[in-house]
Each structure stands twice: as structure tokens, then as C-alpha cells.
Amino acid sequence: MFQEPFRSLFEVNMGVRQGERIVVFGDTVRTDETPSAADRERRLRLLQVAGEAARFAEDSYGATTFVSFPATAASGAEPPETLWRALFGAEIVGMLAREGLLARLLAKQATAADVERAREIVVARREEVAEVVIALSNNSTSHTRFRALANAAGSRFASLPHFDPEMFFTSMRVDWTRLAARTARLAESVNSAVEIAVETPNGTRMVFGKGGRQAKGDDGLLTEPGSFGNLPAGEVYLAPVEGTSEGVMVLEYGPTRKLASPLELVVRGGRVVEIRGDEPHREVLERKFAESELNRNIAELGIGTNDRANRPDNILEAEKILGTIHIALGDNSGFGGTVQTPFHEDYVFYRPTLTARTAEGAATVLLRDGKLLLPD
């Protein structure tokens, strides 16, 4: 059933060549987790498909390692040492441990100097690092030092958190060349601005300071050394300048479900300062905010560009839907920001009007009521 989707994943998206080393990983439901029956079933199916993908890669290209581990506490948390060893090898991980770096990296307590030293170690021995990584864990490893160091060594890294195998037959069947061109045009337009304003019909009103930050495109073509992106792909994303985001976010969907009633997040000075509403997801956010004030950070603004994506109930695909925007909380250290915390969570907003403002005061509407205004 998945033979052709797997072949497209490895050969079109990743550009795998015979003999390259491949790491595929997934995660299991922890004993202290209580997902819904439907989400538990999806996660078990995802783990099964991850194993099947690894077997396909081993049979087709050789040199494939599959790793499974209990799910991390949240997206953005570092994966366990077993996965570091599978990707980087025992020698690199041993050096990181002996210098006291590994423990701080795993705990997300590494200083800038620590990260730079870890990068030096990994890059100096990059021939020991696997060339291709397929991350099929439920929780995202996108915003981790693990992923950033893999890219520094030249690994091509595809992150598929919350993936549903049905996506192989929908949003993964997009015209990748056309998607890449659309994404590049939108990123160029966003990068002409210093401030982005967003409004949606549900009452969301936000302004983001862009400053000198660069928006990047995630187009699903991860064939160059050091490439990284989500699959299914299709977004332009940036880390707003810390402390500049202001407004109100009205959440209607969580990562895997529609909320029973909306939650309003009031944002001042780049952080969530108040939650309004009594939907149960409020408790989830309050727990994360109690763990660290950094989890209140407005970490990301993204714009969807995938015309085959259509699922609002799965954040991985929802944030790629053409004409949507998403806003993330928490960590942004892996894509141009300065906030480092083991938490990164996205929320999608529909029918947005998005305006890019230049330093000279010119305003350009890039999205109006969910319609992309750039030529396709």
C-alpha cells in the first residue's frame, strides 16, 4: 500500500542515493499519557508505518537504522540519547558527554558557547553522521539542538510530527515544483517587510515585528546537504523579533482536535499574558506556562502554501493549508530566534488577511480573507 509513497518520500523529497546512511525514528505512547482512543490508534498506526518505511529503505537503499523510544514530554523537547547515538555515532556522542555538553543539550540548558562547541565537534566528524533523517515521532523534533546539529553536519532532515499515514495520499501528492515556486515568491514578499499585521474573522488581531529576521520557505524538497523541513510541506515561516508581538489570538483548534469553545490569548510585549475562556485546553496551556515563562513566547508566524492540504484537525497538515496562517508559542532558537525552551506548539487561523508593512510605511496585502494575492 505504501510502496509508491515511500519511494516518493525517499527519492523525490529526500533525494536518497544508494549507500547513504538513513535513520528513521518513531515514538511510543508513554504510560502516563492519556490520548483519546482515536489519537492513540493514529499514533500506533504511525509507529507501524515508521517501521515499514525503515524496512523499505533498508531493502531499497541499505544502511538504514530504525529507532523507537517513549514520546518526549512535548514538541521541542530533545529526544533521548539512544537516538543521538543512532544519528551521530558513539564517538561523537561520547565526546559531547565527556565535555559535559550532552547533558546540557538534552536538558535544553546549553549556552551559546556550549552549542558552538557541540557544533565544532559534530562538523569535525561529519563523515560519521547519517546523511538522511526521517522523523516520524508524534512529538516534533524540529525545534531541537538534535535537529540543528544534524543539519550542521550536512544531514537532510524531514520532520513529520503528528503525521497521519493517510496524508501520503493527499497533501504529500502535491505538485512539488509548483509548491516550491509559490513558497519562494511569498517568502520574498514577506522579507520586504519590517512588520506583519494579521486579522481573521474570528477576532484574532495580531502585529509582529520582523526587523532583520528572514522568513524562510519550507517546500518539501530536501535534497541539498543540511536541508530541513516538515512533510507534508508548504509554508513560509519566521521568528518575530522577541518582545514585538501584540494583540489577541482566538484559538479554535488545538494540535489534534477542534476546541469545544474558543480560547482567547492576550499578547503583550511578545508574550501571552492572559487566557480567556474555559475550554479544557486552557489547562494544558496553563501547565506549560507554569513550567516556564519562556513557553509564553510568540515564537513563530507561518503562512500555508500547500493547495492539497485540507485537514483542520491535525496541526502538521493544517498549518500547511494554502491561505491559512499559524502562530506558535515557545522555542524559536532553531530558526533565527533567541528563546530556548523544551516546548513549541502551533495554532492555525483561518481566512486571515495579512498585511506586510515596509520601513517606509508602504503596506501590501498578501492574503485577503484566506486568498493568496500573489500570482500562482
PDB file of all heavy atoms in Angstrom, residues 285-318:
ATOM      1  N   LEU A 285      -2.356  24.678  28.449  1.00  0.00           N
ATOM      2  CA  LEU A 285      -1.512  25.857  28.296  1.00  0.00           C
ATOM      3  C   LEU A 285      -1.046  26.393  29.642  1.00  0.00           C
ATOM      4  O   LEU A 285       0.124  26.772  29.801  1.00  0.00           O
ATOM      5  CB  LEU A 285      -2.272  26.937  27.533  1.00  0.00           C
ATOM      6  CG  LEU A 285      -2.479  26.690  26.040  1.00  0.00           C
ATOM      7  CD1 LEU A 285      -3.404  27.740  25.445  1.00  0.00           C
ATOM      8  CD2 LEU A 285      -1.135  26.689  25.309  1.00  0.00           C
ATOM      9  N   GLU A 286      -1.939  26.425  30.617  1.00  0.00           N
ATOM     10  CA  GLU A 286      -1.553  26.949  31.930  1.00  0.00           C
ATOM     11  C   GLU A 286      -0.453  26.109  32.560  1.00  0.00           C
ATOM     12  O   GLU A 286       0.454  26.642  33.213  1.00  0.00           O
ATOM     13  CB  GLU A 286      -2.775  27.029  32.841  1.00  0.00           C
ATOM     14  CG  GLU A 286      -3.730  28.159  32.452  1.00  0.00           C
ATOM     15  CD  GLU A 286      -4.975  28.203  33.308  1.00  0.00           C
ATOM     16  OE1 GLU A 286      -5.340  27.137  33.871  1.00  0.00           O
ATOM     17  OE2 GLU A 286      -5.587  29.281  33.407  1.00  0.00           O
ATOM     18  N   ARG A 287      -0.502  24.785  32.361  1.00  0.00           N
ATOM     19  CA  ARG A 287       0.566  23.924  32.887  1.00  0.00           C
ATOM     20  C   ARG A 287       1.893  24.248  32.215  1.00  0.00           C
ATOM     21  O   ARG A 287       2.937  24.323  32.878  1.00  0.00           O
ATOM     22  CB  ARG A 287       0.218  22.448  32.682  1.00  0.00           C
ATOM     23  CG  ARG A 287      -0.827  21.908  33.647  1.00  0.00           C
ATOM     24  CD  ARG A 287      -0.828  20.401  33.679  1.00  0.00           C
ATOM     25  NE  ARG A 287      -1.112  19.813  32.383  1.00  0.00           N
ATOM     26  CZ  ARG A 287      -2.328  19.544  31.935  1.00  0.00           C
ATOM     27  NH1 ARG A 287      -3.389  19.804  32.689  1.00  0.00           N
ATOM     28  NH2 ARG A 287      -2.498  18.989  30.748  1.00  0.00           N
ATOM     29  N   LYS A 288       1.867  24.429  30.884  1.00  0.00           N
ATOM     30  CA  LYS A 288       3.113  24.738  30.183  1.00  0.00           C
ATOM     31  C   LYS A 288       3.646  26.110  30.591  1.00  0.00           C
ATOM     32  O   LYS A 288       4.858  26.296  30.759  1.00  0.00           O
ATOM     33  CB  LYS A 288       2.905  24.696  28.668  1.00  0.00           C
ATOM     34  CG  LYS A 288       2.477  23.345  28.111  1.00  0.00           C
ATOM     35  CD  LYS A 288       3.344  22.192  28.592  1.00  0.00           C
ATOM     36  CE  LYS A 288       4.772  22.271  28.105  1.00  0.00           C
ATOM     37  NZ  LYS A 288       5.549  21.064  28.484  1.00  0.00           N
ATOM     38  N   PHE A 289       2.778  27.075  30.789  1.00  0.00           N
ATOM     39  CA  PHE A 289       3.216  28.406  31.207  1.00  0.00           C
ATOM     40  C   PHE A 289       3.779  28.374  32.623  1.00  0.00           C
ATOM     41  O   PHE A 289       4.714  29.122  32.951  1.00  0.00           O
ATOM     42  CB  PHE A 289       2.066  29.401  31.117  1.00  0.00           C
ATOM     43  CG  PHE A 289       1.577  29.662  29.713  1.00  0.00           C
ATOM     44  CD1 PHE A 289       0.366  30.312  29.495  1.00  0.00           C
ATOM     45  CD2 PHE A 289       2.307  29.267  28.608  1.00  0.00           C
ATOM     46  CE1 PHE A 289      -0.091  30.566  28.216  1.00  0.00           C
ATOM     47  CE2 PHE A 289       1.857  29.511  27.316  1.00  0.00           C
ATOM     48  CZ  PHE A 289       0.656  30.162  27.117  1.00  0.00           C
ATOM     49  N   ALA A 290       3.202  27.505  33.477  1.00  0.00           N
ATOM     50  CA  ALA A 290       3.714  27.386  34.843  1.00  0.00           C
ATOM     51  C   ALA A 290       5.108  26.756  34.860  1.00  0.00           C
ATOM     52  O   ALA A 290       5.920  27.047  35.748  1.00  0.00           O
ATOM     53  CB  ALA A 290       2.746  26.555  35.687  1.00  0.00           C
ATOM     54  N   GLU A 291       5.390  25.894  33.887  1.00  0.00           N
ATOM     55  CA  GLU A 291       6.713  25.260  33.811  1.00  0.00           C
ATOM     56  C   GLU A 291       7.800  26.282  33.503  1.00  0.00           C
ATOM     57  O   GLU A 291       8.908  26.199  34.034  1.00  0.00           O
ATOM     58  CB  GLU A 291       6.717  24.169  32.743  1.00  0.00           C
ATOM     59  CG  GLU A 291       5.907  22.936  33.112  1.00  0.00           C
ATOM     60  CD  GLU A 291       5.827  21.954  31.957  1.00  0.00           C
ATOM     61  OE1 GLU A 291       6.548  22.148  30.941  1.00  0.00           O
ATOM     62  OE2 GLU A 291       5.047  20.997  32.055  1.00  0.00           O
ATOM     63  N   SER A 292       7.469  27.239  32.614  1.00  0.00           N
ATOM     64  CA  SER A 292       8.464  28.245  32.239  1.00  0.00           C
ATOM     65  C   SER A 292       7.778  29.439  31.598  1.00  0.00           C
ATOM     66  O   SER A 292       6.901  29.277  30.736  1.00  0.00           O
ATOM     67  CB  SER A 292       9.472  27.654  31.242  1.00  0.00           C
ATOM     68  OG  SER A 292      10.324  28.672  30.735  1.00  0.00           O
ATOM     69  N   GLU A 293       8.196  30.625  31.994  1.00  0.00           N
ATOM     70  CA  GLU A 293       7.689  31.841  31.375  1.00  0.00           C
ATOM     71  C   GLU A 293       8.067  31.899  29.888  1.00  0.00           C
ATOM     72  O   GLU A 293       7.377  32.538  29.092  1.00  0.00           O
ATOM     73  CB  GLU A 293       8.250  33.065  32.095  1.00  0.00           C
ATOM     74  CG  GLU A 293       7.603  33.343  33.435  1.00  0.00           C
ATOM     75  CD  GLU A 293       6.136  33.750  33.290  1.00  0.00           C
ATOM     76  OE1 GLU A 293       5.847  34.689  32.527  1.00  0.00           O
ATOM     77  OE2 GLU A 293       5.291  33.099  33.928  1.00  0.00           O
ATOM     78  N   LEU A 294       9.142  31.217  29.510  1.00  0.00           N
ATOM     79  CA  LEU A 294       9.557  31.221  28.108  1.00  0.00           C
ATOM     80  C   LEU A 294       8.529  30.552  27.204  1.00  0.00           C
ATOM     81  O   LEU A 294       8.473  30.844  26.002  1.00  0.00           O
ATOM     82  CB  LEU A 294      10.910  30.517  27.954  1.00  0.00           C
ATOM     83  CG  LEU A 294      12.094  31.161  28.671  1.00  0.00           C
ATOM     84  CD1 LEU A 294      13.343  30.323  28.469  1.00  0.00           C
ATOM     85  CD2 LEU A 294      12.320  32.584  28.181  1.00  0.00           C
ATOM     86  N   ASN A 295       7.711  29.664  27.766  1.00  0.00           N
ATOM     87  CA  ASN A 295       6.697  28.995  26.961  1.00  0.00           C
ATOM     88  C   ASN A 295       5.587  29.945  26.515  1.00  0.00           C
ATOM     89  O   ASN A 295       4.787  29.604  25.638  1.00  0.00           O
ATOM     90  CB  ASN A 295       6.097  27.827  27.738  1.00  0.00           C
ATOM     91  CG  ASN A 295       7.097  26.716  27.968  1.00  0.00           C
ATOM     92  OD1 ASN A 295       8.114  26.634  27.280  1.00  0.00           O
ATOM     93  ND2 ASN A 295       6.844  25.867  28.955  1.00  0.00           N
ATOM     94  N   ARG A 296       5.542  31.155  27.091  1.00  0.00           N
ATOM     95  CA  ARG A 296       4.571  32.168  26.677  1.00  0.00           C
ATOM     96  C   ARG A 296       5.024  32.932  25.430  1.00  0.00           C
ATOM     97  O   ARG A 296       4.261  33.704  24.851  1.00  0.00           O
ATOM     98  CB  ARG A 296       4.355  33.178  27.804  1.00  0.00           C
ATOM     99  CG  ARG A 296       3.778  32.601  29.085  1.00  0.00           C
ATOM    100  CD  ARG A 296       3.731  33.655  30.175  1.00  0.00           C
ATOM    101  NE  ARG A 296       3.176  33.148  31.420  1.00  0.00           N
ATOM    102  CZ  ARG A 296       1.879  33.191  31.746  1.00  0.00           C
ATOM    103  NH1 ARG A 296       1.015  33.745  30.910  1.00  0.00           N
ATOM    104  NH2 ARG A 296       1.459  32.702  32.904  1.00  0.00           N
ATOM    105  N   ASN A 297       6.248  32.734  25.012  1.00  0.00           N
ATOM    106  CA  ASN A 297       6.822  33.491  23.901  1.00  0.00           C
ATOM    107  C   ASN A 297       6.082  33.256  22.586  1.00  0.00           C
ATOM    108  O   ASN A 297       5.738  32.123  22.241  1.00  0.00           O
ATOM    109  CB  ASN A 297       8.291  33.079  23.721  1.00  0.00           C
ATOM    110  CG  ASN A 297       8.955  33.774  22.555  1.00  0.00           C
ATOM    111  OD1 ASN A 297       8.955  34.996  22.473  1.00  0.00           O
ATOM    112  ND2 ASN A 297       9.519  32.998  21.634  1.00  0.00           N
ATOM    113  N   ILE A 298       5.847  34.341  21.843  1.00  0.00           N
ATOM    114  CA  ILE A 298       5.334  34.215  20.469  1.00  0.00           C
ATOM    115  C   ILE A 298       6.524  33.882  19.586  1.00  0.00           C
ATOM    116  O   ILE A 298       7.364  34.731  19.283  1.00  0.00           O
ATOM    117  CB  ILE A 298       4.638  35.506  20.011  1.00  0.00           C
ATOM    118  CG1 ILE A 298       3.474  35.832  20.946  1.00  0.00           C
ATOM    119  CG2 ILE A 298       4.154  35.350  18.570  1.00  0.00           C
ATOM    120  CD1 ILE A 298       2.404  34.753  21.038  1.00  0.00           C
ATOM    121  N   ALA A 299       6.601  32.606  19.204  1.00  0.00           N
ATOM    122  CA  ALA A 299       7.820  32.058  18.611  1.00  0.00           C
ATOM    123  C   ALA A 299       7.847  32.122  17.096  1.00  0.00           C
ATOM    124  O   ALA A 299       8.924  32.219  16.499  1.00  0.00           O
ATOM    125  CB  ALA A 299       7.986  30.605  19.056  1.00  0.00           C
ATOM    126  N   GLU A 300       6.680  32.034  16.463  1.00  0.00           N
ATOM    127  CA  GLU A 300       6.665  31.848  15.012  1.00  0.00           C
ATOM    128  C   GLU A 300       5.397  32.422  14.401  1.00  0.00           C
ATOM    129  O   GLU A 300       4.319  32.357  14.994  1.00  0.00           O
ATOM    130  CB  GLU A 300       6.746  30.348  14.694  1.00  0.00           C
ATOM    131  CG  GLU A 300       6.676  30.006  13.211  1.00  0.00           C
ATOM    132  CD  GLU A 300       6.611  28.508  12.952  1.00  0.00           C
ATOM    133  OE1 GLU A 300       6.566  27.730  13.925  1.00  0.00           O
ATOM    134  OE2 GLU A 300       6.581  28.114  11.772  1.00  0.00           O
ATOM    135  N   LEU A 301       5.551  32.956  13.210  1.00  0.00           N
ATOM    136  CA  LEU A 301       4.434  33.254  12.323  1.00  0.00           C
ATOM    137  C   LEU A 301       4.670  32.477  11.044  1.00  0.00           C
ATOM    138  O   LEU A 301       5.743  32.570  10.443  1.00  0.00           O
ATOM    139  CB  LEU A 301       4.353  34.750  12.011  1.00  0.00           C
ATOM    140  CG  LEU A 301       3.363  35.127  10.893  1.00  0.00           C
ATOM    141  CD1 LEU A 301       1.929  34.806  11.307  1.00  0.00           C
ATOM    142  CD2 LEU A 301       3.509  36.596  10.511  1.00  0.00           C
ATOM    143  N   GLY A 302       3.692  31.684  10.634  1.00  0.00           N
ATOM    144  CA  GLY A 302       3.808  30.892   9.414  1.00  0.00           C
ATOM    145  C   GLY A 302       2.619  31.121   8.501  1.00  0.00           C
ATOM    146  O   GLY A 302       1.527  31.485   8.950  1.00  0.00           O
ATOM    147  N   ILE A 303       2.818  30.883   7.208  1.00  0.00           N
ATOM    148  CA  ILE A 303       1.778  31.064   6.190  1.00  0.00           C
ATOM    149  C   ILE A 303       1.746  29.809   5.325  1.00  0.00           C
ATOM    150  O   ILE A 303       2.764  29.423   4.745  1.00  0.00           O
ATOM    151  CB  ILE A 303       2.062  32.288   5.305  1.00  0.00           C
ATOM    152  CG1 ILE A 303       2.351  33.525   6.151  1.00  0.00           C
ATOM    153  CG2 ILE A 303       0.897  32.541   4.352  1.00  0.00           C
ATOM    154  CD1 ILE A 303       2.944  34.679   5.366  1.00  0.00           C
ATOM    155  N   GLY A 304       0.592  29.149   5.222  1.00  0.00           N
ATOM    156  CA  GLY A 304       0.470  27.908   4.469  1.00  0.00           C
ATOM    157  C   GLY A 304       0.459  28.119   2.966  1.00  0.00           C
ATOM    158  O   GLY A 304      -0.117  29.096   2.474  1.00  0.00           O
ATOM    159  N   THR A 305       1.079  27.153   2.230  1.00  0.00           N
ATOM    160  CA  THR A 305       1.173  27.279   0.766  1.00  0.00           C
ATOM    161  C   THR A 305       0.831  25.984   0.023  1.00  0.00           C
ATOM    162  O   THR A 305       1.019  25.904  -1.188  1.00  0.00           O
ATOM    163  CB  THR A 305       2.590  27.717   0.352  1.00  0.00           C
ATOM    164  OG1 THR A 305       3.545  26.743   0.781  1.00  0.00           O
ATOM    165  CG2 THR A 305       2.946  29.072   0.938  1.00  0.00           C
ATOM    166  N   ASN A 306       0.324  24.956   0.717  1.00  0.00           N
ATOM    167  CA  ASN A 306       0.059  23.660   0.085  1.00  0.00           C
ATOM    168  C   ASN A 306      -1.410  23.562  -0.325  1.00  0.00           C
ATOM    169  O   ASN A 306      -2.293  23.501   0.524  1.00  0.00           O
ATOM    170  CB  ASN A 306       0.423  22.528   1.052  1.00  0.00           C
ATOM    171  CG  ASN A 306       0.353  21.149   0.421  1.00  0.00           C
ATOM    172  OD1 ASN A 306      -0.510  20.858  -0.394  1.00  0.00           O
ATOM    173  ND2 ASN A 306       1.268  20.277   0.820  1.00  0.00           N
ATOM    174  N   ASP A 307      -1.671  23.527  -1.633  1.00  0.00           N
ATOM    175  CA  ASP A 307      -3.044  23.505  -2.130  1.00  0.00           C
ATOM    176  C   ASP A 307      -3.702  22.124  -2.031  1.00  0.00           C
ATOM    177  O   ASP A 307      -4.902  21.996  -2.289  1.00  0.00           O
ATOM    178  CB  ASP A 307      -3.096  23.987  -3.588  1.00  0.00           C
ATOM    179  CG  ASP A 307      -2.183  23.210  -4.495  1.00  0.00           C
ATOM    180  OD1 ASP A 307      -0.959  23.271  -4.288  1.00  0.00           O
ATOM    181  OD2 ASP A 307      -2.685  22.541  -5.421  1.00  0.00           O
ATOM    182  N   ARG A 308      -2.957  21.082  -1.645  1.00  0.00           N
ATOM    183  CA  ARG A 308      -3.563  19.765  -1.425  1.00  0.00           C
ATOM    184  C   ARG A 308      -3.820  19.490   0.054  1.00  0.00           C
ATOM    185  O   ARG A 308      -4.438  18.483   0.391  1.00  0.00           O
ATOM    186  CB  ARG A 308      -2.645  18.666  -1.995  1.00  0.00           C
ATOM    187  CG  ARG A 308      -2.540  18.620  -3.508  1.00  0.00           C
ATOM    188  CD  ARG A 308      -3.876  18.261  -4.177  1.00  0.00           C
ATOM    189  NE  ARG A 308      -4.389  16.994  -3.714  1.00  0.00           N
ATOM    190  CZ  ARG A 308      -4.098  15.811  -4.283  1.00  0.00           C
ATOM    191  NH1 ARG A 308      -3.280  15.757  -5.313  1.00  0.00           N
ATOM    192  NH2 ARG A 308      -4.640  14.694  -3.828  1.00  0.00           N
ATOM    193  N   ALA A 309      -3.367  20.347   0.925  1.00  0.00           N
ATOM    194  CA  ALA A 309      -3.618  20.185   2.357  1.00  0.00           C
ATOM    195  C   ALA A 309      -5.007  20.701   2.690  1.00  0.00           C
ATOM    196  O   ALA A 309      -5.434  21.741   2.177  1.00  0.00           O
ATOM    197  CB  ALA A 309      -2.569  20.946   3.166  1.00  0.00           C
ATOM    198  N   ASN A 310      -5.745  19.975   3.562  1.00  0.00           N
ATOM    199  CA  ASN A 310      -7.114  20.421   3.876  1.00  0.00           C
ATOM    200  C   ASN A 310      -7.611  20.003   5.257  1.00  0.00           C
ATOM    201  O   ASN A 310      -8.752  20.294   5.601  1.00  0.00           O
ATOM    202  CB  ASN A 310      -8.103  19.911   2.811  1.00  0.00           C
ATOM    203  CG  ASN A 310      -8.106  18.395   2.685  1.00  0.00           C
ATOM    204  OD1 ASN A 310      -7.717  17.687   3.607  1.00  0.00           O
ATOM    205  ND2 ASN A 310      -8.534  17.901   1.533  1.00  0.00           N
ATOM    206  N   ARG A 311      -6.793  19.333   6.077  1.00  0.00           N
ATOM    207  CA  ARG A 311      -7.276  18.835   7.366  1.00  0.00           C
ATOM    208  C   ARG A 311      -7.079  19.858   8.475  1.00  0.00           C
ATOM    209  O   ARG A 311      -5.943  20.186   8.822  1.00  0.00           O
ATOM    210  CB  ARG A 311      -6.537  17.545   7.746  1.00  0.00           C
ATOM    211  CG  ARG A 311      -6.949  16.344   6.952  1.00  0.00           C
ATOM    212  CD  ARG A 311      -6.295  15.095   7.503  1.00  0.00           C
ATOM    213  NE  ARG A 311      -6.611  14.876   8.908  1.00  0.00           N
ATOM    214  CZ  ARG A 311      -6.265  13.779   9.569  1.00  0.00           C
ATOM    215  NH1 ARG A 311      -5.602  12.819   8.954  1.00  0.00           N
ATOM    216  NH2 ARG A 311      -6.585  13.648  10.837  1.00  0.00           N
ATOM    217  N   PRO A 312      -8.157  20.356   9.079  1.00  0.00           N
ATOM    218  CA  PRO A 312      -8.007  21.325  10.170  1.00  0.00           C
ATOM    219  C   PRO A 312      -7.718  20.682  11.518  1.00  0.00           C
ATOM    220  O   PRO A 312      -7.323  21.375  12.457  1.00  0.00           O
ATOM    221  CB  PRO A 312      -9.365  22.023  10.197  1.00  0.00           C
ATOM    222  CG  PRO A 312     -10.323  20.960   9.742  1.00  0.00           C
ATOM    223  CD  PRO A 312      -9.573  20.156   8.712  1.00  0.00           C
ATOM    224  N   ASP A 313      -7.891  19.349  11.633  1.00  0.00           N
ATOM    225  CA  ASP A 313      -7.796  18.688  12.933  1.00  0.00           C
ATOM    226  C   ASP A 313      -6.421  18.089  13.204  1.00  0.00           C
ATOM    227  O   ASP A 313      -6.220  17.445  14.228  1.00  0.00           O
ATOM    228  CB  ASP A 313      -8.849  17.582  13.034  1.00  0.00           C
ATOM    229  CG  ASP A 313      -8.642  16.487  11.996  1.00  0.00           C
ATOM    230  OD1 ASP A 313      -8.056  16.774  10.929  1.00  0.00           O
ATOM    231  OD2 ASP A 313      -9.064  15.346  12.257  1.00  0.00           O
ATOM    232  N   ASN A 314      -5.470  18.282  12.301  1.00  0.00           N
ATOM    233  CA  ASN A 314      -4.118  17.772  12.506  1.00  0.00           C
ATOM    234  C   ASN A 314      -3.152  18.895  12.201  1.00  0.00           C
ATOM    235  O   ASN A 314      -3.037  19.346  11.059  1.00  0.00           O
ATOM    236  CB  ASN A 314      -3.857  16.568  11.604  1.00  0.00           C
ATOM    237  CG  ASN A 314      -2.490  15.958  11.848  1.00  0.00           C
ATOM    238  OD1 ASN A 314      -1.465  16.582  11.587  1.00  0.00           O
ATOM    239  ND2 ASN A 314      -2.464  14.731  12.363  1.00  0.00           N
ATOM    240  N   ILE A 315      -2.417  19.348  13.214  1.00  0.00           N
ATOM    241  CA  ILE A 315      -1.632  20.571  13.092  1.00  0.00           C
ATOM    242  C   ILE A 315      -0.580  20.472  11.998  1.00  0.00           C
ATOM    243  O   ILE A 315      -0.271  21.462  11.329  1.00  0.00           O
ATOM    244  CB  ILE A 315      -0.986  20.937  14.451  1.00  0.00           C
ATOM    245  CG1 ILE A 315      -0.334  22.321  14.391  1.00  0.00           C
ATOM    246  CG2 ILE A 315      -0.011  19.880  14.895  1.00  0.00           C
ATOM    247  CD1 ILE A 315      -1.289  23.440  14.106  1.00  0.00           C
ATOM    248  N   LEU A 316      -0.007  19.285  11.788  1.00  0.00           N
ATOM    249  CA  LEU A 316       1.036  19.142  10.775  1.00  0.00           C
ATOM    250  C   LEU A 316       0.517  19.532   9.400  1.00  0.00           C
ATOM    251  O   LEU A 316       1.183  20.255   8.650  1.00  0.00           O
ATOM    252  CB  LEU A 316       1.556  17.701  10.752  1.00  0.00           C
ATOM    253  CG  LEU A 316       2.579  17.383   9.664  1.00  0.00           C
ATOM    254  CD1 LEU A 316       3.860  18.184   9.861  1.00  0.00           C
ATOM    255  CD2 LEU A 316       2.882  15.883   9.643  1.00  0.00           C
ATOM    256  N   GLU A 317      -0.689  19.056   9.064  1.00  0.00           N
ATOM    257  CA  GLU A 317      -1.264  19.400   7.767  1.00  0.00           C
ATOM    258  C   GLU A 317      -1.983  20.741   7.810  1.00  0.00           C
ATOM    259  O   GLU A 317      -1.912  21.522   6.854  1.00  0.00           O
ATOM    260  CB  GLU A 317      -2.228  18.317   7.282  1.00  0.00           C
ATOM    261  CG  GLU A 317      -2.821  18.641   5.913  1.00  0.00           C
ATOM    262  CD  GLU A 317      -3.465  17.452   5.237  1.00  0.00           C
ATOM    263  OE1 GLU A 317      -2.807  16.394   5.142  1.00  0.00           O
ATOM    264  OE2 GLU A 317      -4.614  17.575   4.792  1.00  0.00           O
ATOM    265  N   ALA A 318      -2.655  21.035   8.919  1.00  0.00           N
ATOM    266  CA  ALA A 318      -3.447  22.258   9.000  1.00  0.00           C
ATOM    267  C   ALA A 318      -2.603  23.502   8.758  1.00  0.00           C
ATOM    268  O   ALA A 318      -3.031  24.437   8.065  1.00  0.00           O
ATOM    269  CB  ALA A 318      -4.136  22.350  10.358  1.00  0.00           C
TER     270      ALA A 318
END
